[in-house]
Amino acid sequence: MSVTEPTSRSETGVGPMFDAEEESLARKQRVEAVAKWLLPIAVLSLAIWYWDRLVVWNDIPHYILPGPGRVMQTLIQDWGTLSQSLLVTLQITLMALAVAIIGGVGLAVLFAQSRLAEMSFSPFAVILQVTPIVAIAPLIFIYIESRMVGLLLCAWIVAFFPILANTTLGLKSADHNLRDLMLIYKANRWQRLRYLQLPSALPYFLGGLRIAGGLALIGAVVAEYVAGTGGIGSGLAFRILEAGYRLNIPRMFAALLLIALTGVIIFAITTAISHFALRKWHESALKRE
Amino acid sequence: MTAHDRIIPPLHQRKPVLSMQAVDKTFNGGVVALRRMSLTVNEGDFISLLGPSGCGKSTALRLIAGLMRPTVGRITWEGGRGTDDLGVVFQEPTLMPWSTVAKNVWLPFRLRGKSFATVRDRIEEVLALVGLDKFANSYPRELSGGMKMRVSIARALVTNPRLILMDEPFAALDEITRQKLNDDLLNLKARTGATVIFVTHSVFESVFLSDRILVMAARPGRVIREIAVDAPYPRGIAWRTSPDYARIARETSDTLMSTLAPGESH
């Protein structure tokens, strides 16, 4: 037993330390665990503080560059209008993402089932993907009367491709021996999809989802810029445009801050979903010992 | 030997399960992977396909599994092939990483539309048979290479198939694990009476395990000789160290060497 003891202790990380080397290793691990959180927060705080000082030291007027305090103040003051706009942008983003998931996964499954379908439709998907959304959007707003549907369509076009491309790749990369096994046990098409291809594609799909979440927000914001002033029910991009015309720079910053925060939250949520869906089995979510 | 062991009749008294009649397999490029292979597999046989790489042993297995069709000749199952008649163990464990051990073993039943609850007892039984009853709820990544292979064997056994195909299942394992699994495989065979076709490139493995060895040669892939190993089961360390074992291993090895072109032998 004395031979196996040291390994079992170093694996669990508990027990008394005998060695200076072991001790320094443990200290290093503790420091790293704290630094993982502390470091980004400290650097971000420092950057904000420097931004504030820059404004104060150089006496920059707020209509050129507002300080962080002023931006926060505006955010609170204008919360009524800004929160309404945030809801609109968020609604378009989430709806576009939902439709992108349904469309992307649906098309990917269709492609995996039928080579002919893939050959026929994948050029359309690529054309939609490579054409900049700002170039298509004006046409969409000419042909589609409902502003909401137009925005949704723009955001969808941007968001659906990573889901389609990743899921298609995932469906095709099922283990070939498992495929043979499915053949030997005479699994039908639906069983093969459900028990083999879809689980194999899950990590790929989730990777696509993380990209698509951010892109849906970008699509929604860009489309709103193109759509221009729309009166009631306008999103954050419209607020930025409007504030720009009025030289209300602090509000531009406040709206920008909200967009950035939304993006970060969407990324965090999709990352969390990915982690929880894969933590039991996939390499990407496992901690190595 | 335990009281549960099935009695397997001597070689010449067994009922046929499957037969290959003059089977040829030529690939698209005109490469002859297998030439005129004939084989009758009988109930309770443990057949080894032994040969160098490129001798068509894996091709023969894929043909029997129905993953390919013969170019010429036919493969017939006695009384037709039923859905649960075949179990396969590949060189890799080939487990679904997203499912637990028990759910992996459930797969053949699941594809027949049987719910987990109705076959739970059978799954537990077969996991106990391979010594993994305590790992039913583990994920494959938590197991060692040898344990993963045991899960794969349990999955092949779970439907009580008439024939089990094993394609170099232990080739990637270390020598110690491999010997242990060889012993366990023979115990399993004694208890289930399974019929096995086992592909290997190890002379010693084939002589230890099987009662029929088909020695194969490459370019073109073909069977050159069948060697009967007439030692009774159960076999263990006594068989591994017996003079008969050494003699048959020598004979098999010589046959194998004679198939290699002069430039290839050492």
Side-chain angles (χ1 to χ4, degrees):
Chain A
M1 281 319 285
S2 60
V3 179
T4 58
E5 217 175 325
T7 36
S8 68
R9 194 182 58 237
S10 68
E11 268 170 17
T12 53
V14 293
M17 303 289 173
F18 295 120
D19 209 308
E21 200 178 327
E22 267 178 51
E23 224 165 306
S24 82
L25 195 72
R27 199 180 315 119
K28 213 168 155 190
Q29 276 173 349
R30 276 200 302 275
V31 167
E32 219 163 88
V34 177
K36 204 171 93 183
W37 293 102
L38 210 61
L39 218 55
I41 293 171
V43 171
L44 198 64
S45 310
L46 205 68
I48 292 172
W49 173 82
Y50 185 64
W51 168 16
D52 181 56
R53 289 299 95 193
L54 215 60
V55 171
V56 173
W57 288 335
N58 297 313
D59 242 346
I60 302 175
H62 67 78
Y63 50 83
I64 292 179
L65 178 67
R70 182 101 194 186
V71 172
M72 282 310 292
Q73 206 185 330
T74 312
L75 189 62
I76 294 160
Q77 259 171 21
D78 297 354
W79 182 245
T81 14
L82 287 177
S83 65
Q84 285 299 317
S85 301
L86 174 64
L87 276 182
V88 172
T89 302
L90 212 55
Q91 197 185 356
I92 293 165
T93 303
L94 294 183
M95 277 166 71
L97 188 58
V99 183
I101 291 171
I102 297 166
V105 173
L107 269 179
V109 168
L110 183 71
F111 285 2
Q113 297 296 308
S114 156
R115 287 279 301 153
L116 289 179
E118 185 178 3
M119 286 181 226
S120 315
F121 293 115
S122 58
F124 286 96
V126 174
I127 289 169
L128 278 180
Q129 166 65 14
V130 296
T131 314
I133 189 63
V134 279
I136 317 174
L139 279 175
I140 288 174
F141 288 111
I142 288 172
Y143 294 122
I144 292 177
E145 215 160 304
S146 162
R147 196 165 166 276
M148 190 73 177
V149 174
L151 291 175
L152 200 58
L153 188 64
C154 289
W156 176 78
I157 288 174
V158 185
F160 100 109
F161 191 78
I163 294 185
L164 170 67
N166 273 26
T167 312
T168 306
L169 181 67
L171 288 171
K172 284 179 180 173
S173 33
D175 181 273
H176 64 98
N177 278 335
L178 277 171
R179 260 183 237 219
D180 282 352
L181 202 69
M182 291 282 165
L183 275 177
I184 287 165
Y185 288 126
K186 299 195 167 73
N188 60 36
R189 207 174 255 255
W190 163 244
Q191 287 174 322
R192 199 171 63 224
L193 180 70
R194 174 142 184 244
Y195 299 140
L196 175 61
Q197 289 176 301
L198 286 179
S200 304
L202 186 65
Y204 295 82
F205 161 74
L206 290 168
L209 181 67
R210 269 152 65 162
I211 303 170
L215 285 182
L217 180 64
I218 292 175
V221 168
V222 168
E224 234 178 88
Y225 268 104
V226 178
T229 48
I232 307 149
S234 302
L236 284 172
F238 169 72
R239 291 289 161 222
I240 291 180
L241 274 181
E242 185 193 48
Y245 293 142
R246 296 178 186 173
L247 284 179
N248 187 349
I249 311 297
R251 190 192 269 194
M252 288 177 87
F253 268 94
L256 190 60
L257 183 67
L258 279 182
I259 292 176
L261 273 179
T262 308
V264 170
I265 290 169
I266 289 174
F267 181 77
I269 291 173
T270 49
T271 304
I273 291 173
S274 171
H275 177 79
F276 282 108
L278 302 178
R279 79 201 140 112
K280 287 275 178 60
W281 64 276
H282 197 254
E283 286 294 336
S284 67
L286 295 177
K287 276 208 179 83
R288 292 199 64 85
E289 279 159 20
Chain B
M1 195 188 289
T2 66
H4 303 293
D5 285 4
R6 308 266 182 100
I7 307 300
I8 293 167
L11 275 177
H12 54 280
Q13 291 170 14
R14 297 175 188 170
K15 284 184 285 182
V17 176
L18 169 139
S19 66
M20 295 175 80
Q21 284 140 22
V23 169
D24 274 19
K25 179 68 192 179
T26 311
F27 286 118
N28 295 336
V31 178
V32 182
L34 199 62
R35 198 167 69 185
R36 295 197 71 77
M37 178 165 176
S38 291
L39 169 68
T40 303
V41 182
N42 300 312
E43 227 164 73
D45 278 359
F46 198 124
I47 299 174
S48 281
L49 303 182
L50 173 70
S53 47
C55 72
K57 51 194 196 298
S58 288
T59 304
L61 218 59
R62 291 180 70 81
L63 286 166
I64 295 169
L67 292 171
M68 297 194 260
R69 293 185 171 283
T71 314
V72 182
R74 57 167 57 186
I75 297 171
T76 41
W77 285 72
E78 203 63 33
R81 182 183 157 189
T83 44
D84 289 340
D85 279 356
L86 190 66
V88 180
V89 180
F90 296 98
Q91 186 166 355
E92 293 95 41
T94 313
L95 303 175
M96 301 177 291
W98 53 84
S99 292
T100 60
V101 166
K103 295 278 162 68
N104 264 291
V105 176
W106 176 36
L107 181 73
F109 284 134
R110 195 183 198 185
L111 295 174
R112 305 269 157 280
K114 289 183 184 165
S115 76
F116 188 76
T118 58
V119 291
R120 179 191 297 269
D121 291 344
R122 175 62 189 154
I123 290 169
E124 278 167 11
E125 185 188 336
V126 80
L127 280 177
L129 212 57
V130 296
L132 286 179
D133 35 342
K134 289 197 182 67
F135 294 89
N137 295 318
S138 304
Y139 283 84
R141 65 172 177 88
E142 298 167 310
L143 308 180
S144 69
M147 286 158 91
K148 283 184 199 154
M149 219 60 220
R150 285 168 192 273
V151 179
S152 196
I153 293 170
R155 180 180 59 198
L157 285 171
V158 77
T159 57
N160 254 326
R162 287 162 74 192
L163 180 61
I164 296 172
L165 306 178
M166 306 183 95
D167 189 2
E168 301 188 35
F170 309 141
L173 301 175
D174 62 89
E175 189 59 30
I176 300 163
T177 312
R178 186 175 180 158
Q179 267 196 25
K180 174 80 175 104
L181 278 171
N182 277 339
D183 288 341
D184 291 351
L185 181 59
L186 283 190
N187 282 331
L188 274 179
K189 186 186 145 41
R191 287 166 71 176
T192 59
T195 307
V196 181
I197 300 180
F198 189 97
V199 165
T200 180
H201 50 230
S202 160
V203 170
F204 300 103
E205 194 170 57
S206 69
V207 177
F208 178 71
L209 290 172
S210 42
D211 48 16
R212 297 169 67 189
I213 301 172
L214 298 188
V215 182
M216 301 181 74
R219 284 175 293 274
R222 64 203 185 275
V223 177
I224 50 167
R225 193 179 157 196
E226 176 167 342
I227 296 172
V229 184
D230 208 5
Y233 295 95
R235 295 170 178 176
I237 185 74
W239 166 240
R240 218 190 273 280
T241 51
S242 71
D244 274 348
Y245 176 85
R247 182 179 55 76
I248 297 174
R250 177 69 191 257
E251 186 185 339
T252 308
S253 190
D254 286 347
T255 312
L256 200 57
M257 283 305 155
S258 73
T259 71
L260 298 178
E264 286 173 304
S265 57
H266 302 287

